[in-house]
Amino acid sequence: MQGTCVRYTDLPGTTALFADYLYRFDRVSRFYDHCPHDVECYRRSAARVDFPAERRAALVTALRAMNGDHPALEQLAQPGTYAVVTGQQVGLFSGPAYTIYKALTAVALARRLTAAGLPSVPVFWLATEDHDFTEVNHAWVFDATHRPVRLEMPANGTGKRPVGGIGIEQAPIDELRRTLSGFPYGDDVADAVTGAYAPGETLGSAFSKLLTQVLGPNALPVFDPMHPAGRRLAAPLLSRAVERMPELNASVLERNRELNEAGYHAQVHVEDQTSFVFLLENGERLALHRHEREFVINGRRLSTPELADRAEQLSPNALLRPVAQDWMLPTIAYVGGPAELAYLAQSQVLYHELLGRMPVAVPRQAATLLDARAAKLFDRYGLTLGDFFRGEEGLRERIAARLVPSEVSETIESAKARSAEIHNTVATALARFDPSLEAAFAKSRRKMEYQLDKTARKAARAALRRNERASEEAAYLAGLVYPEKHLQERLYSILPFLARHGMDLTSRLAEDIKPDCLDHRLIVL
């Protein structure tokens, strides 16, 4: 495979916090315990992992209940073995493609750390506790012409239920099969999805089964925090968090203030009454609001001891979740995306107060996948990823400009240069004669320059109209690279790429994963 790196600072929506984490870590080092760039940082992280033998035994037992006899568990059972953890919401049909890139990054990093003398096992955390069904009930795929297609599963009264336990009733498999029918491996992919999303499965179990088929049965074990064994493992940490909630809240509010003063953002909004836990009750995940040492839920009040006693029924919020996760796992490193790394800048204070350690935060591999035809079109029209960020119309204008005959484009550019020279001469003379005329002339100059630019755009559009093939190619590229004005990995599922390139695509991508790469990569398949 071929790869080209694109700095995150050239991508839309990159926050200052994430950019500095990647490229100027010294600016954000106080918000994280370890840098992600040096193996010695991982050694320091490992030295702080204090994971009792009884907790390790309980963890392996829980993972066996979730994964069966996964080969990685024998290694994880050994003292001194660490976990490289990643995870994702259990989105329909495996969610966005970056879910797979997270898993592949964790696998590659665990292998690299093991080779460096830090025996490590990758683990995938299934975010089954989340209750926002609208975030996980759909998937985006594309057809053979790169037309984006949104597939959706109906709600059927999901309410505030944890999404992992919602049963599969009407998964849009037939529509998926139709959409992928133009690809050589479309039926193979649809069959795999049909097997995973069978009646009787839940969003959590179906996601896990499809993830295993996509990555391979031995890639990495999964951890389901909604499993009874997972709830028991988390209970001591969650009980302690409830008892210390006022101090934890104050610490996070102070951290948010520090982030804002440093010119960054707080990813998760926190108020004085914020509780870092939800209560799992009657099949729902219910918000708790703190009032001094009490917690309020639907008009009821629970004392701190009452809530702490119900720790197995508690579910952590986005800031407490990583701490609970790393209480249950001997985590040396966590692989996440930009938002998750931003969470960790806030969660650091919770790590320090509840766990006494924090793992290395590792950016996941980020990628835009191109087929051979798309790569040729990039070369033909001299395109970069940045050319797509103005949408399909902007891309058409970029391609159209390359189609204008050189005689026309060179003539217009020459006219613009001569016009600029004349305008500069006139402006200088007017400034000497009567400065009050400068503003009026500047306005007229802008109008003349606009007309020349307008003429260039008209010539480009005329060239594009004469070239139907180029117009179709612009649509082909836009639908693949920047669909619905989103980065490819953040919208499309991995499924259409498997349908085009084969079910072994992830094993080929695994060979190309570079945990040290801090940039977004364009990968030609």
Side-chain angles (χ1 to χ4, degrees):
M1 298 181 186
Q2 304 172 42
T4 303
C5 290
V6 180
R7 285 177 66 88
Y8 266 96
T9 48
D10 295 331
L11 302 182
T14 300
T15 66
L17 178 65
F18 189 59
D20 283 350
Y21 188 87
L22 295 177
Y23 305 121
R24 302 180 185 90
F25 184 76
D26 59 299
R27 295 186 179 183
V28 300
S29 59
R30 59 184 162 136
F31 304 125
Y32 301 89
D33 280 15
H34 309 284
C35 75
H37 311 314
D38 189 333
V39 70
E40 291 306 315
C41 297
Y42 295 91
R43 296 192 192 283
R44 287 192 287 272
S45 174
R48 297 179 63 182
V49 175
D50 180 13
F51 204 70
E54 61 273 15
R55 196 184 310 162
R56 185 180 293 273
L59 168 65
V60 173
T61 298
L63 284 170
R64 289 197 190 283
M66 302 171 193
N67 297 269
D69 291 326
H70 194 288
L73 301 186
E74 183 176 349
Q75 180 182 349
L76 190 58
Q78 303 303 313
T81 297
Y82 306 102
V84 174
V85 184
T86 192
Q88 182 62 28
Q89 293 170 299
V90 289
L92 183 68
F93 298 164
S94 77
Y98 67 72
T99 300
I100 304 304
Y101 306 155
K102 281 182 175 180
L104 294 177
T105 305
V107 171
L109 179 58
R111 187 179 301 120
R112 190 186 76 171
L113 293 176
T114 298
L118 297 168
S120 300
V121 169
V123 177
F124 193 98
W125 181 279
L126 302 171
T128 51
E129 294 176 291
D130 291 359
H131 61 267
D132 193 340
F133 181 71
T134 60
E135 288 189 359
V136 299
N137 74 330
H138 62 278
W140 284 87
V141 294
F142 57 82
D143 61 17
T145 64
H146 294 163
R147 179 181 63 91
V149 177
R150 190 179 194 269
L151 308 175
E152 184 172 324
M153 195 173 87
N156 294 334
T158 54
K160 297 180 179 179
R161 294 167 56 194
V163 296
I166 295 174
I168 303 297
E169 295 181 9
Q170 302 175 48
I173 294 174
D174 291 341
E175 189 176 355
L176 173 70
R177 190 178 292 276
R178 286 193 299 271
T179 303
L180 302 183
S181 62
F183 294 121
Y185 305 99
D187 284 343
D188 294 341
V189 173
D191 289 345
V193 173
T194 300
Y197 284 77
E201 298 291 346
T202 64
L203 275 173
S205 65
F207 180 99
S208 178
K209 288 186 175 182
L210 184 58
L211 187 72
T212 298
Q213 291 195 59
V214 169
L215 295 174
N218 296 330
L220 73 176
V222 300
F223 189 102
D224 182 356
M226 288 297 292
H227 191 284
R231 306 234 58 77
R232 289 192 294 272
L233 272 174
L237 186 282
L238 296 178
S239 178
R240 189 187 312 167
V242 168
E243 292 167 351
R244 302 189 57 187
M245 197 67 72
E247 306 97 274
L248 299 180
N249 184 276
S251 295
V252 174
L253 287 173
E254 174 63 17
R255 170 51 51 89
N256 288 0
R257 185 191 63 77
E258 293 170 350
L259 286 165
N260 289 326
E261 287 185 353
Y264 302 122
H265 72 293
Q267 185 75 18
V268 178
H269 179 68
V270 176
E271 299 176 341
D272 288 337
Q273 70 272 25
T274 295
S275 166
F276 299 122
V277 293
F278 295 82
L279 181 64
L280 298 170
E281 188 174 72
N282 299 323
E284 294 189 318
R285 187 176 188 239
L286 304 175
L288 288 157
H289 298 283
R290 187 178 60 84
H291 181 69
E292 295 181 352
R293 300 292 297 178
E294 291 185 322
F295 296 82
V296 181
I297 177 171
N298 293 337
R300 290 182 290 145
R301 288 180 178 269
L302 297 172
S303 68
T304 292
E306 287 174 327
L307 192 63
D309 285 344
R310 300 178 67 177
E312 289 190 23
Q313 297 172 265
L314 297 180
S315 171
N317 79 341
L319 296 183
L320 185 58
R321 182 212 41 86
V323 185
Q325 162 195 289
D326 298 333
W327 158 268
M328 292 184 271
L329 292 156
T331 310
I332 187 174
Y334 177 77
V335 175
E340 291 156 316
L341 266 61
Y343 293 156
L344 294 181
Q346 296 172 270
S347 295
Q348 185 199 41
V349 294
L350 302 181
Y351 271 104
H352 287 180
E353 297 195 31
L354 293 172
L355 196 57
R357 63 178 172 88
M358 181 183 186
V360 182
V362 182
R364 64 168 172 81
Q365 184 80 94
T368 294
L369 306 182
L370 303 180
D371 56 31
R373 181 189 177 194
K376 289 179 181 178
L377 294 177
F378 262 69
D379 292 339
R380 178 184 301 165
Y381 297 119
L383 300 174
T384 67
L385 189 57
D387 290 321
F388 291 79
F389 299 154
R390 290 171 53 215
E392 185 173 344
E393 186 58 34
L395 178 64
R396 287 178 182 276
E397 291 179 4
R398 178 73 176 85
I399 290 176
R402 293 297 300 267
L403 297 173
V404 176
S406 59
E407 178 184 2
V408 175
S409 59
E410 289 171 5
T411 299
I412 293 174
E413 288 302 314
S414 177
K416 290 167 68 175
R418 292 198 304 273
S419 175
E421 184 178 349
I422 293 170
H423 290 151
N424 289 337
T425 301
V426 174
T428 301
L430 287 175
R432 287 197 298 264
F433 171 65
D434 186 348
S436 66
L437 299 174
E438 284 186 274
F441 177 72
K443 183 176 181 180
S444 298
R445 176 177 182 170
R446 287 194 296 271
K447 289 181 178 179
M448 288 182 276
E449 291 172 342
Y450 171 78
Q451 290 301 323
L452 282 172
D453 287 336
K454 184 177 179 181
T455 299
R457 291 195 297 271
K458 285 184 175 180
R461 286 195 291 270
L464 190 62
R465 284 195 300 271
R466 296 180 184 184
N467 193 326
E468 293 183 5
R469 177 183 173 187
S471 183
E472 182 272 330
E473 288 170 342
Y476 182 88
L477 285 172
L480 173 65
V481 176
Y482 200 58
E484 304 290 311
K485 296 186 178 181
H486 287 79
L487 288 173
Q488 178 196 96
E489 63 171 15
R490 302 197 66 82
L491 187 78
Y492 285 144
S493 163
I494 197 68
L495 298 183
F497 299 99
L498 299 176
R500 169 167 282 163
H501 300 285
M503 290 293 288
D504 66 339
L505 173 62
T506 54
S507 62
R508 287 182 277 148
L509 286 172
E511 297 174 0
D512 201 53
I513 289 291
K514 294 177 171 56
D516 291 332
C517 178
L518 302 179
D519 297 326
H520 187 99
R521 299 180 65 210
L522 279 174
I523 298 177
V524 180
L525 302 175

